Amino acid sequence: MKLIRFEQDGKIKPGIITADDRWLDVSAFGEDYNEAFFTHDGLSRLGEWLKTASCPEVSKSNRLDSCIARPSKIVCIGLNYAKHAAETGAVVPKEPVVFFKSTTALCGPNDNVIIPRNSVKTDWEVELAVVIGKKASYVDAADVWDYIAGYCTHNDYSEREFQMERGGQWVKGKSNDTFAPLGPFLATKDEVADPHNLNLWLKVNGEKLQDSSTSDFIFNIPQVIEHLTQFMTLLPGDVISTGTPAGVGLGFKPPRYLKPGDVVELGIEGLGSQKQTAVAYQ
């Protein structure tokens, strides 16, 4: 299945994208795509319900919201592509670099990205996001696939001065409003044959700046989730963002950062595309 959340009449509603690319409203199922939904085997129950349900079609002119409701946490992996580590001058890590992103940064895949107040170094980062399907603690790598609900596209926007020059932890440069567009849809894991062999790309004003594959991961998905669950419990609906490839603004010489009016487009093979316009904070 491909799960969407869309805005209609001022309300966020759950939906799906059909095999023939239609949007259907599944509000009658009675649940949002949140922690409770995933905890109680919502994907299987929704699939069964759809076999007999009659769902209204939705116009694609409706705004898309984040493809899942706000999770308990967004956990990100830094420097997880060798070429990206090299472009930033960082040493290839010996174990996954872990940081958090505030869940208030979550937004729709085509919403404007707001350049924060006093920001001059807002950067882009296309990333594959993994959504957890059931409670995970001390999970062995071999068992990780049982804990995954699906995958989606994430742009891990970053304010590099806030992140790297203001002391403290990276979370300060990762958590501004609109810094976590997620979607357009959540693809359940059966929709993705090999998450370790997906092309991902990003353009700024039509110029392709990121173009890579998840085959370039330093730490693959089982390694990442095994590592994370040694230190924290992952709850159903939690988002794991797996890192970005080379081509971020920080890596250029001189660095390149977003300005108001810039248009960012990005996508991942089989997981759809996003488009954001940069606007100044007001």
Side-chain angles (χ1 to χ4, degrees), residues 16 23 33 42 48 62 69 82 96 98 115 149 157 196 206 212 243 282:
I16 64 164
W23 292 9
Y33 303 142
E48 286 299 312
N62 284 284
V98 179
I115 298 175
Y157 279 112
H196 295 123
S212 188
Q282 293 183 335

CSV table of all heavy atoms in Angstrom, one decimal, residues 16 23 33 42 48 62 69 82 96 98 115 149 157 196 206 212 243 282:
chain,number,residue,atom,x,y,z
A,16,ILE,N,-5.2,6.6,0.7
A,16,ILE,CA,-4.2,5.7,0.0
A,16,ILE,C,-4.1,6.1,-1.4
A,16,ILE,O,-5.0,6.8,-2.0
A,16,ILE,CB,-4.7,4.3,0.1
A,16,ILE,CG1,-6.0,4.1,-0.6
A,16,ILE,CG2,-4.7,3.8,1.5
A,16,ILE,CD1,-6.3,2.6,-0.9
A,23,TRP,N,-6.2,8.8,-5.8
A,23,TRP,CA,-6.2,9.1,-4.3
A,23,TRP,C,-7.6,8.7,-3.8
A,23,TRP,O,-8.6,9.2,-4.3
A,23,TRP,CB,-5.9,10.5,-4.0
A,23,TRP,CG,-4.6,11.0,-4.4
A,23,TRP,CD1,-3.6,10.3,-5.0
A,23,TRP,CD2,-4.0,12.3,-4.0
A,23,TRP,NE1,-2.4,11.1,-5.1
A,23,TRP,CE2,-2.7,12.3,-4.5
A,23,TRP,CE3,-4.5,13.4,-3.4
A,23,TRP,CZ2,-1.9,13.4,-4.4
A,23,TRP,CZ3,-3.7,14.5,-3.2
A,23,TRP,CH2,-2.4,14.5,-3.7
A,33,TYR,N,-2.8,7.7,10.7
A,33,TYR,CA,-1.6,6.9,10.7
A,33,TYR,C,-0.7,7.3,11.7
A,33,TYR,O,0.3,8.1,11.5
A,33,TYR,CB,-1.0,7.0,9.3
A,33,TYR,CG,-1.9,6.6,8.1
A,33,TYR,CD1,-1.9,7.3,6.9
A,33,TYR,CD2,-2.8,5.5,8.2
A,33,TYR,CE1,-2.7,7.0,5.9
A,33,TYR,CE2,-3.6,5.2,7.2
A,33,TYR,CZ,-3.6,5.9,6.0
A,33,TYR,OH,-4.4,5.6,5.0
A,42,GLY,N,-2.3,-1.9,12.2
A,42,GLY,CA,-3.2,-1.1,11.4
A,42,GLY,C,-3.0,-1.4,9.9
A,42,GLY,O,-4.0,-1.3,9.1
A,48,GLU,N,-7.4,-5.4,4.9
A,48,GLU,CA,-8.6,-6.2,4.9
A,48,GLU,C,-9.8,-5.4,4.7
A,48,GLU,O,-10.7,-5.7,3.9
A,48,GLU,CB,-8.7,-7.0,6.2
A,48,GLU,CG,-7.7,-8.1,6.3
A,48,GLU,CD,-7.9,-9.2,5.2
A,48,GLU,OE1,-9.1,-9.6,5.0
A,48,GLU,OE2,-6.9,-9.6,4.6
A,62,ASN,N,-5.6,18.7,-3.7
A,62,ASN,CA,-5.6,18.8,-2.2
A,62,ASN,C,-4.1,18.8,-1.8
A,62,ASN,O,-3.3,18.1,-2.3
A,62,ASN,CB,-6.3,17.7,-1.5
A,62,ASN,CG,-7.8,17.9,-1.6
A,62,ASN,OD1,-8.4,18.7,-0.9
A,62,ASN,ND2,-8.5,17.1,-2.5
A,69,ALA,N,1.3,10.7,10.9
A,69,ALA,CA,1.0,11.7,11.9
A,69,ALA,C,2.3,11.8,12.8
A,69,ALA,O,3.2,11.0,12.7
A,69,ALA,CB,-0.1,11.2,12.8
A,82,ALA,N,29.8,7.5,2.2
A,82,ALA,CA,31.2,7.8,2.2
A,82,ALA,C,31.6,9.1,1.5
A,82,ALA,O,32.4,9.9,2.0
A,82,ALA,CB,32.0,6.6,1.6
A,96,PRO,N,27.4,4.2,13.7
A,96,PRO,CA,26.4,5.3,13.2
A,96,PRO,C,26.4,6.5,14.1
A,96,PRO,O,26.5,6.5,15.3
A,96,PRO,CB,25.1,4.6,13.3
A,96,PRO,CG,25.4,3.1,13.1
A,96,PRO,CD,26.7,2.9,13.8
A,98,VAL,N,24.4,9.5,15.5
A,98,VAL,CA,23.0,9.6,15.8
A,98,VAL,C,22.7,11.0,16.4
A,98,VAL,O,23.4,11.5,17.2
A,98,VAL,CB,22.6,8.5,16.9
A,98,VAL,CG1,21.1,8.6,17.2
A,98,VAL,CG2,22.9,7.1,16.4
A,115,ILE,N,13.1,29.6,5.7
A,115,ILE,CA,14.5,29.9,6.2
A,115,ILE,C,14.4,30.6,7.5
A,115,ILE,O,13.7,31.6,7.6
A,115,ILE,CB,15.2,30.8,5.1
A,115,ILE,CG1,15.3,30.1,3.8
A,115,ILE,CG2,16.6,31.2,5.7
A,115,ILE,CD1,15.9,30.9,2.7
A,149,ALA,N,7.6,-0.8,9.1
A,149,ALA,CA,6.3,-0.6,8.4
A,149,ALA,C,6.5,-0.3,7.0
A,149,ALA,O,5.7,-0.7,6.1
A,149,ALA,CB,5.5,0.4,9.2
A,157,TYR,N,16.4,19.1,6.1
A,157,TYR,CA,16.9,20.4,6.1
A,157,TYR,C,17.7,20.7,7.3
A,157,TYR,O,17.4,20.2,8.4
A,157,TYR,CB,15.7,21.4,6.0
A,157,TYR,CG,15.2,21.6,4.6
A,157,TYR,CD1,13.9,21.2,4.3
A,157,TYR,CD2,16.0,22.2,3.6
A,157,TYR,CE1,13.4,21.4,3.0
A,157,TYR,CE2,15.5,22.4,2.3
A,157,TYR,CZ,14.2,22.0,2.0
A,157,TYR,OH,13.7,22.1,0.7
A,196,HIS,N,18.2,-1.0,-0.2
A,196,HIS,CA,19.6,-0.7,-0.3
A,196,HIS,C,20.1,-0.5,-1.7
A,196,HIS,O,21.3,-0.6,-2.0
A,196,HIS,CB,20.4,-1.9,0.4
A,196,HIS,CG,20.2,-2.0,1.8
A,196,HIS,ND1,19.7,-3.1,2.4
A,196,HIS,CD2,20.3,-1.1,2.8
A,196,HIS,CE1,19.6,-3.0,3.7
A,196,HIS,NE2,19.9,-1.7,4.0
A,206,GLY,N,16.4,23.6,-10.5
A,206,GLY,CA,16.6,22.8,-11.7
A,206,GLY,C,17.9,22.2,-11.9
A,206,GLY,O,18.1,21.3,-12.8
A,212,SER,N,22.6,9.9,-6.2
A,212,SER,CA,23.3,8.7,-5.6
A,212,SER,C,22.4,7.5,-5.5
A,212,SER,O,21.3,7.5,-6.0
A,212,SER,CB,23.9,9.2,-4.3
A,212,SER,OG,24.8,8.2,-3.8
A,243,GLY,N,20.4,9.2,6.4
A,243,GLY,CA,21.6,9.9,6.0
A,243,GLY,C,21.4,10.4,4.6
A,243,GLY,O,20.6,9.9,3.8
A,282,GLN,N,8.9,35.2,8.6
A,282,GLN,CA,8.2,36.5,8.8
A,282,GLN,C,7.6,36.4,10.2
A,282,GLN,O,7.0,35.4,10.6
A,282,GLN,CB,7.2,36.7,7.7
A,282,GLN,CG,7.9,37.0,6.4
A,282,GLN,CD,6.8,37.3,5.3
A,282,GLN,OE1,5.6,37.0,5.4
A,282,GLN,NE2,7.3,38.0,4.3
